[in-house]
Amino acid sequence: MNEEFYIGWQDKAPKSYGQSVKYVVWTLVVLVPLIAGLLVLSQRGFIPSKYEIAHLRTLEGILITEPIPCLKIPLGIDEKGIEHFQRILLIGMGKKSANPALEVLAKKTGKPLMGKGIRLKGKLIYYDGVVAFELGSEKELFQGFSTLKDVASTPVQLGKVTLRGEILDPKCYLGVMRPGEGKPHRSCAIRCLAGGIPAFFKAKTSNGEQQYCFVLDQDGLPINDKLAPYVADEVQICGVVEQWDNWYVVKADEYKQLMPHWGKGMVMCK
Amino acid sequence: MSVNYTTVQWNRQKRRYDRIMLGIMVLYLLTFTFLQLVFYPLTSPETLIIRATGTLAFIMLQFILCIGPLARLDHRFLPLLYNRRHLGVTTFLIGAVHGVFNVIQFHSLGYVDPIFSVFASNTHYASLQDFPFQVLGFFALVILFLMAATSHDFWLKNLSPRWWKSLHMLVYLAYGLLVFHVMLGVVQLEQSPMWIGFVGFGLLTLVSLHLMAAGVEKKRLLEQMDKAAVGEGFYQVCSAEDIPENRAKMVYLEGQNIAVFRYDGKVSAVNNICRHQHGPIGEGKIVDGCITCPWHGYQYLPQNGQSPPPFTEKLETYDVKIVDGMVWVNPSPYPEGTERPAAIIQA
Ligand code: HEM
Ligand code: HEM
Ligand code: FES
């Protein structure tokens, strides 16, 4: 009996081996694209968030540095004589808040920037009506002061609420990453919050719609470090909601009143 | 034959193996990219790269782990085994693209070192559901790196096959880590039965193949032990006629794994464990006068267990005798490479 024997270092494999390898290869050629297709098609999809990565723009507005850095863009005066603004969230480069770059700018111009009319260069990030602006590099950021004057807008008190939803970092969610939410993104969002990017909350309303708000503590100060462990989980936030121009801000009560990440039932608000 | 052996650095089969491997990989990546762009044009390019390379590396690892038991079950799968290390190294490279992109995307440009961030961002180490699954991918990648870095025969020799083999057993750990990496990671977001099925089906296939191969192996071992009957340190193995020309019978005697070869009207016995990667010598064949290992073609002379020059691998040898057409083997081994006279088969 002398059946064929395969030796890898020979130039040619015996016929019977070549035949079976051929079967394996053809099976793979059919199976591999099939697997690719099934995997691709079973993803749940991506939201149409937008990051204008290759498009630098200059925005003119009133600079607010605390507690949530933003540009207030004047929208005009209504018939009652009230001036309206759109707030655009300011964010630094990478996983960092806008503040360090703004501090550098304040030193350079020798003026406190809070409430100043200013022109800044950067890139827009937006989704679902919420707009953020990634500040350009130190060289290109400052495009001069403008004559715009701040009109202190009083926050509108909307009362105490209980919200359920997900804590996110607005930069990734609004456009820099797709997907920019959920478990795979948790570590990244924690990095962003640690970098001072304001905590953002995607609340689900009772009729299934999405409502966005920023999260501060009762005194209106950031609590990113306390919120970090709850990122990407379903959490409950209780607090007073205020409207700041086009933004909602929830002043969360105690950090205890967030739903624990391991989810032992709902904690009701006081 | 040694001329054959030394000059083989490249050959047609190897080139074809690599070409087919790369071709199938490209096929996967192109299909994935094309369909992703058609059905989900909103995907960011980073997500596309991360998902395409992550799934490809996982599928390749799965395939690599199936080759071993497949080749045990049916020798016609041996050509897949021969160049398995190319598959392994390539899997590491693809996995590294995935890992590096993830670290850049999710962990860089913050205030801490990106690698530190992999470990320190999500700290729910005590939770299963919220576990920082990236860490599992990281360690799997480290294991794949160690294996790729030591895949050359230089390391095999310097680390000794036993060490090398133990190191390579870590691939199963890497696989296990990756199963959890996927289940605790992207599956928590996508929650698609298809992704769970993808991991589950692969795991099931792998476990079944290994169990089947182990079953076959065990049966073979039991048969070998039944055959043996004792006499003056010699065990009766089988009749000389039972061994096909240029082939071997494998026996397991007193803890010795022995291959008994028949060739040119003679019978010789050597240790059954190849000095290269512990392949089963006894499933090999005598080619050009040399025992040739079925896995990667290492060669040994049957009467002294030595690889022909310039190679230096040596097997233990054993005494053999033939009485009334029956082959008897003494399982006390001679030092590696000791010349022992072959037993002559009387016509
Ligand atoms: C994805 C790309 C590749 C990787 C990562 C890779 C990796 C390796 C490694 C780690 C070795 C050392 C192990 C050994 O000694 O066999 C090796 C050897 C070798 N590779 Fe590759 N390889 C690749 C592509 C190729 C291609 C395309 C060819 C030929 C067309 C090739 C031909 C060889 C040859 C001839 C050896 C020597 C094997 C021997 O001496 O027995 N490789 N390869
Ligand atoms: C430093 C090492 C690694 C890190 C930081 C890492 C991180 C990640 C992250 C964040 C995801 C989710 C990405 C998404 O949203 O789609 C993911 C998914 C995945 N990873 Fe890894 N990974 C690493 C190594 C590996 C390795 C070595 C493999 C396989 C050989 C692998 C296989 C997968 C697979 C199959 C998925 C699911 C598909 C996907 O979502 O991309 N990972 N990994
Ligand atoms: S195990 Fe590689 S040649 Fe024998």
Side-chain angles (χ1 to χ4, degrees):
Chain A
M1 182 188 96
N2 241 339
E3 59 190 88
E4 290 177 322
F5 182 67
Y6 170 80
I7 306 176
W9 44 255
Q10 284 176 342
D11 248 1
K12 266 179 99 82
K15 247 214 182 86
S16 64
Y17 286 89
Q19 200 60 41
S20 52
V21 170
K22 237 176 235 158
Y23 287 136
V24 173
V25 170
W26 282 115
T27 309
L28 287 175
V29 166
V30 174
L31 209 59
V32 157
L34 204 68
I35 294 175
L38 287 176
L39 287 176
V40 166
L41 291 177
S42 56
Q43 295 168 100
R44 63 170 206 179
F46 305 87
I47 58 173
S49 58
K50 181 83 184 153
Y51 172 41
E52 295 185 343
I53 189 162
H55 189 150
L56 272 172
R57 294 173 188 263
T58 303
L59 292 191
E60 182 175 347
I62 295 146
L63 184 64
I64 304 294
T65 53
E66 300 291 331
I68 301 176
C70 65
L71 266 189
K72 279 167 68 178
I73 314 273
L75 296 176
I77 299 173
D78 69 9
E79 60 272 19
K80 285 182 216 147
I82 300 171
E83 185 163 20
H84 290 273
F85 293 94
Q86 179 187 7
R87 283 180 188 240
I88 293 184
L89 174 68
L90 297 183
I91 299 176
M93 283 183 161
K95 299 179 174 55
K96 291 168 187 167
S97 96
N99 287 333
L102 294 176
E103 277 156 24
V104 170
L105 186 58
K107 268 204 198 104
K108 218 161 77 175
T109 57
K111 290 187 185 156
L113 297 175
M114 182 75 174
K116 271 258 167 350
I118 200 167
R119 279 192 299 272
L120 297 177
K121 206 170 209 176
K123 296 171 183 172
L124 280 179
I125 303 167
Y126 49 90
Y127 171 63
D128 215 1
V130 188
V131 184
F133 192 61
E134 183 188 53
L135 301 182
S137 68
E138 197 182 323
K139 261 210 328 262
E140 64 201 8
L141 173 63
F142 183 62
Q143 300 291 318
F145 288 111
S146 88
T147 53
L148 291 175
K149 288 271 173 318
D150 190 20
V151 180
S153 38
T154 33
V156 184
Q157 302 287 330
L158 297 177
K160 185 144 184 176
V161 294
T162 303
L163 303 170
R164 282 191 85 161
E166 181 180 344
I167 298 170
L168 306 157
D169 75 278
K171 183 169 190 180
C172 296
Y173 180 73
L174 295 176
V176 173
M177 291 184 195
R178 265 162 284 134
E181 59 185 315
K183 301 262 146 100
H185 190 258
R186 182 204 305 267
S187 295
C188 178
I190 290 174
R191 259 314 111 239
C192 285
L193 292 201
I197 295 177
F200 196 57
F201 194 68
K202 181 175 77 170
K204 278 220 164 60
T205 59
S206 50
N207 53 15
E209 279 170 15
Q210 272 159 180
Q211 193 62 259
Y212 302 100
C213 59
F214 292 92
V215 189
L216 298 173
D217 73 1
Q218 280 166 308
D219 304 322
L221 298 172
I223 38 168
N224 287 9
D225 49 340
K226 289 184 179 152
L227 297 174
Y230 300 90
V231 167
D233 277 315
E234 203 178 1
V235 297
Q236 176 178 291
I237 291 182
C238 311
V240 174
V241 172
E242 293 180 357
Q243 186 172 357
W244 299 4
D245 299 316
N246 57 319
W247 282 359
Y248 294 105
V249 174
V250 59
K251 292 186 166 170
D253 287 355
E254 290 160 77
Y255 128 85
K256 257 189 224 149
Q257 287 179 312
L258 302 169
M259 184 171 149
H261 66 269
W262 48 88
K264 289 200 194 98
M266 298 263 280
V267 187
M268 293 314 293
C269 296
K270 277 178 256 169
Chain B
M1 119 255 70
S2 65
V3 178
N4 224 348
Y5 197 83
T6 44
T7 53
V8 172
Q9 292 296 321
W10 303 49
N11 66 43
R12 192 171 145 273
Q13 280 195 61
K14 219 173 227 180
R15 282 197 292 272
R16 288 186 73 191
Y17 191 103
D18 288 335
R19 244 183 254 144
I20 292 171
M21 172 182 79
L22 291 176
I24 293 179
M25 287 166 57
V26 169
L27 180 66
Y28 180 84
L29 292 174
L30 285 182
T31 316
F32 196 103
T33 307
F34 176 76
L35 293 175
Q36 184 85 345
L37 291 179
V38 168
F39 288 99
Y40 300 105
L42 291 170
T43 324
S44 65
E46 299 87 358
T47 301
L48 173 57
I49 293 170
I50 285 170
R51 292 196 171 173
T53 51
T55 50
L56 175 59
F58 189 76
I59 292 168
M60 288 175 71
L61 185 61
Q62 180 87 48
F63 182 71
I64 290 172
L65 292 178
C66 287
I67 293 177
L70 275 178
R72 300 298 297 149
L73 289 170
D74 189 331
H75 59 95
R76 280 172 311 169
F77 289 110
L78 279 169
L80 299 177
L81 188 122
Y82 183 69
N83 262 341
R84 190 166 47 171
R85 68 179 125 194
H86 282 205
L87 260 176
V89 174
T90 313
T91 301
F92 158 71
L93 292 177
I94 300 287
V97 171
H98 166 88
V100 167
F101 260 85
N102 269 311
V103 171
I104 292 175
Q105 162 102 332
F106 295 127
H107 299 279
S108 65
L109 297 178
Y111 282 111
V112 296
D113 179 75
I115 300 295
F116 174 78
S117 166
V118 169
F119 289 85
S121 293
N122 174 4
T123 50
H124 295 318
Y125 283 92
S127 156
L128 182 65
Q129 192 203 348
D130 289 346
F131 195 85
F133 67 96
Q134 292 90 340
V135 171
L136 304 173
F138 181 86
F139 283 118
L141 190 61
V142 169
I143 292 176
L144 292 182
F145 168 74
L146 286 177
M147 292 179 41
T150 58
S151 71
H152 195 276
D153 276 348
F154 167 81
W155 284 102
L156 181 58
K157 277 231 181 77
N158 280 276
L159 291 173
S160 87
R162 177 184 297 255
W163 257 92
W164 190 85
K165 194 114 183 164
S166 315
L167 183 68
H168 278 233
M169 281 296 138
L170 284 177
V171 73
Y172 289 100
L173 175 61
Y175 177 72
L177 290 172
L178 287 171
V179 166
F180 281 97
H181 175 68
V182 177
M183 293 306 288
L184 301 181
V186 78
V187 167
Q188 300 282 324
L189 172 73
E190 295 291 341
Q191 311 208 318
S192 153
M194 193 64 74
W195 286 68
I196 300 170
F198 162 68
V199 177
F201 181 74
L203 185 62
L204 203 70
T205 311
L206 200 63
V207 171
S208 333
L209 279 176
H210 276 83
L211 287 179
M212 277 159 69
V216 167
E217 193 76 346
K218 199 167 165 198
K219 207 167 129 226
R220 199 175 61 86
L221 272 181
L222 283 178
E223 274 170 11
Q224 290 166 12
M225 297 212 215
D226 285 349
K227 289 244 166 64
V230 205
E232 295 165 18
F234 279 83
Y235 288 71
Q236 184 179 312
V237 175
C238 60
S239 100
E241 296 297 310
D242 282 353
I243 311 179
E245 178 68 11
N246 289 330
R247 294 286 190 161
K249 247 300 137 349
M250 290 171 283
V251 279
Y252 202 73
L253 303 171
E254 295 182 3
Q256 291 290 312
N257 198 347
I258 303 168
V260 189
F261 275 91
R262 175 180 154 193
Y263 57 102
D264 302 338
K266 292 179 282 188
V267 170
S268 286
V270 296
N271 192 276
N272 190 29
I273 301 169
C274 181
R275 294 303 115 108
H276 178 224
Q277 287 179 20
H278 293 183
I281 296 274
E283 289 176 22
K285 183 177 175 181
I286 297 202
V287 179
D288 301 329
C290 283
I291 296 172
T292 306
C293 176
W295 281 11
H296 313 91
Y298 271 43
Q299 295 191 310
Y300 307 90
L301 291 165
Q303 65 276 14
N304 60 15
Q306 295 178 9
S307 292
F311 299 97
T312 51
E313 284 75 19
K314 293 188 190 105
L315 301 171
E316 290 92 356
T317 49
Y318 304 88
D319 276 335
V320 194
K321 62 183 183 183
I322 297 181
V323 181
D324 298 335
M326 298 304 286
V327 178
W328 294 71
V329 174
N330 185 336
S332 66
Y334 287 89
E336 295 171 351
T338 309
E339 174 106 24
R340 297 309 304 158
I344 311 288
I345 306 171
Q346 261 90 32

